Amino acid sequence: MRTGVWLVGARGSVATTSIVGALALRSGLTGPTGCVTELPDLRGPALPAFTDLVLGGHDVVTTPLAKRAETLAAAGVLPGRLVAALPDELAAVERELRPAPAGGTQADRAAATVRDLTDFRRRHGLDRVVVVNVSATEPAARPHPGHADPGALAAALAGPDEVLPPSSLYAYAAVRAGCPYVDFTPSTGLRLPALVALAAECGIPYAGHDGKTGETLVKSVLAPMFAMRHLAVRSWSGVNLLGGGDGATLADPAANAAKVESKQRVLGETLGHLPQGGTRIEYVEALGDFKTAWDLITFAGFLGTGMRMEFTWHGCDSALAAPLVLDLARLTAAAHAAGHAGPLTDLAFFFKDPLGTPTHSLADQWTRLCGFAHRLHAGGTDAAPR
Ligand SMILES: NC(=O)c1ccc[n+]([C@@H]2O[C@H](COP(=O)([O-])OP(=O)(O)OC[C@H]3O[C@@H](n4cnc5c(N)ncnc54)[C@H](O)[C@@H]3O)[C@@H](O)[C@H]2O)c1
C-alpha cells in the first residue's frame, strides 16, 4: 500500500527526525526502537511497510532539510552517521517539500494546499496520503460564525476574514483532498463543528490531539495506579523546562495555555478530581531539543498518612515523537483503507488530549489499540474498504 505522509511543519525538529528515521528504516540502517507498530501485538499485513512510505510536506521556512538534519545531529538528537549516509534520499524528500500557501483568501490557500496534496498523490501513484500536523503550536482558535457548518465555512473562507487558524485550514484542505488527517499538536486542527461534519460527509478518518511523549505519558501510567490503589492524590505539580523551536513557541503565553490545558486533562479525568497544583512550561534555550520534567505528587494513604513521590524525566522530544508520527501515519492509512471515517478514538494511546471520551489510562488505551490493530489485520471493519 503506497502511502504518502505529508508533514505540515516539514522542516521542524519532529518532522525532520521522522523523515530521517523513515529513510533510515527504509534503507535498513536502523531498527524500529520506539515504533510501537513494530511490536508483535500491533504488527501485521494491514499496515503499510516503511518501504511503502513516501514523504513530503509544507513549511513556512525554507531551511534545507539536510541542514536541519545536520543541526539536529550536532545537537545529539539524530546520529550524524545516518544523516551522512542518506544525502540522496534527503534530497529526494527536499524536492517534495512545498512552501506553505500564502496570499489571497483562505479559500485560495486551501485550494493551493489541495493542489499540492493531489499532485503529490498523483506524482507518486499513491493509494492515499495521510496529512500529519507537526507544525508550531497555535493559540486557541477565535470563534467565528463560519465554524458552525460546512456551508457557512465555505462561504466565510471566500471572504476577507481569517476564519480558520492554520492547523484547521490544513485540516480542511486535507479533507477536501480526500486525505486522512492526524494532529500531533495541541492546535485546533479538525476540532470545529464545520470540519467534523465535513469529514463525516467525505468519509475521512482523523486522529489527535497532541502527541504523548514525556511527562504526560508518565502521568497516564502513574495516575491510574494511585486511583486503583485508592490513594488520595492531594497535589500534583510539574515543571517542564524545554528549548528548541517548540520551547520558543511555547514561550508565547497563548500557545503555552493551550499546551498546559492538554497536559492537565489526564489527571482530572483519571483521578475523578483535579488535585491542587499545575503544570508549568518554561523555555530554556540551552536545552535544545532535550526536555526535563520534574513532578512532585503528594498523596494520602490509609488513616490519612501523608506521603510523596517525585520523578524526573530527561527526554529527547523529537526522538520520542518521531516514531509515533510514523506509527500514526501507518495506522491511520490502514484505517482509511479499511473504510473507517470520523474520529479514530482507538488511537488515544498516542495522545495527551485524545478525541472522544476514551480512558486516559495508558494500559486501557493500549488494550484498545491492540484490539483496533487486530481488527484491521483481520480485515474487519464497520464500513466498506476503499
Ligand atoms: N516533540 C514532542 O515530543 C512533541 C510532543 C507533542 C506535541 N508536539 C508538537 O509537535 C509540534 C512540532 O514540534 P517541533 O519540536 O518539531 O517544533 P519546531 O518548532 O521545531 O517545528 C515546527 C515547524 O512548523 C513550521 N510552521 C510554523 N507555522 C507553519 C505553518 N503555518 N505551515 C507550515 N509550517 C509551519 C515551522 O517553520 C517549523 O519548521 C509542536 O506543535 C509541538 O507542540 C511535540
Side-chain angles (χ1 to χ4, degrees), residues 46 52-53 63 92 115 129 132 186 196 198 269 275 330 341 345 369 371 381:
D52 290 333
L53 303 183
T63 322
R115 266 197 308 279
V129 175
V132 186
V196 167
L198 191 67
E269 291 177 16
R330 297 175 84 193
T345 55
L369 178 63
T381 178

Side-chain angles (χ1 to χ4, degrees), residues 7-16 19 57-69 71 93-94 96-102 134-136 170 245 249:
L7 298 160
V8 179
R11 300 181 192 275
S13 301
V14 172
T16 305
I19 291 167
H58 281 121
D59 206 306
V60 287
V61 298
T62 52
T63 322
L65 193 54
K67 182 122 193 64
R68 280 297 282 137
T71 306
V93 179
E94 179 71 50
E96 300 303 331
L97 303 190
R98 297 288 176 272
V134 282
S135 92
Y170 282 111
T249 303

Side-chain angles (χ1 to χ4, degrees), residues 191-209:
R191 285 179 293 189
L192 292 171
L195 296 179
V196 167
L198 191 67
E201 257 172 42
C202 300
I204 296 298
Y206 54 93
H209 274 260

Side-chain angles (χ1 to χ4, degrees), residues 213-347:
T213 56
E215 185 202 32
T216 316
L217 176 66
V218 182
K219 275 182 172 169
S220 70
V221 175
L222 287 182
M225 176 199 77
F226 285 110
M228 280 187 273
R229 282 298 171 96
H230 203 178
L231 296 167
V233 175
R234 288 170 168 163
S235 69
W236 195 314
S237 309
V239 180
N240 290 262
L241 306 175
L242 73 157
D246 194 23
T249 303
L250 293 174
D252 167 37
N256 192 312
K259 194 79 169 183
V260 165
E261 195 186 320
S262 108
K263 285 170 83 66
Q264 280 301 81
R265 201 153 293 147
V266 55
L267 292 185
E269 291 177 16
T270 309
L271 300 173
H273 70 285
L274 204 52
Q276 200 188 343
T279 296
R280 267 191 18 232
I281 303 177
E282 268 181 52
Y283 175 51
V284 181
E285 191 182 355
L287 291 179
D289 275 284
F290 289 79
K291 178 170 81 182
T292 292
W294 173 76
D295 278 41
L296 173 71
I297 305 145
T298 65
F299 61 99
F302 193 43
L303 309 179
T305 306
M307 291 170 254
R308 52 198 278 170
M309 91 160 280
E310 54 192 275
F311 69 82
T312 312
W313 173 271
H314 296 289
C316 176
D317 266 359
S318 300
L320 290 161
L324 304 184
V325 166
L326 301 180
D327 287 329
L328 282 163
R330 297 175 84 193
L331 285 159
T332 306
H336 186 229
H340 285 268
L344 297 173
T345 55
D346 288 324
L347 301 188

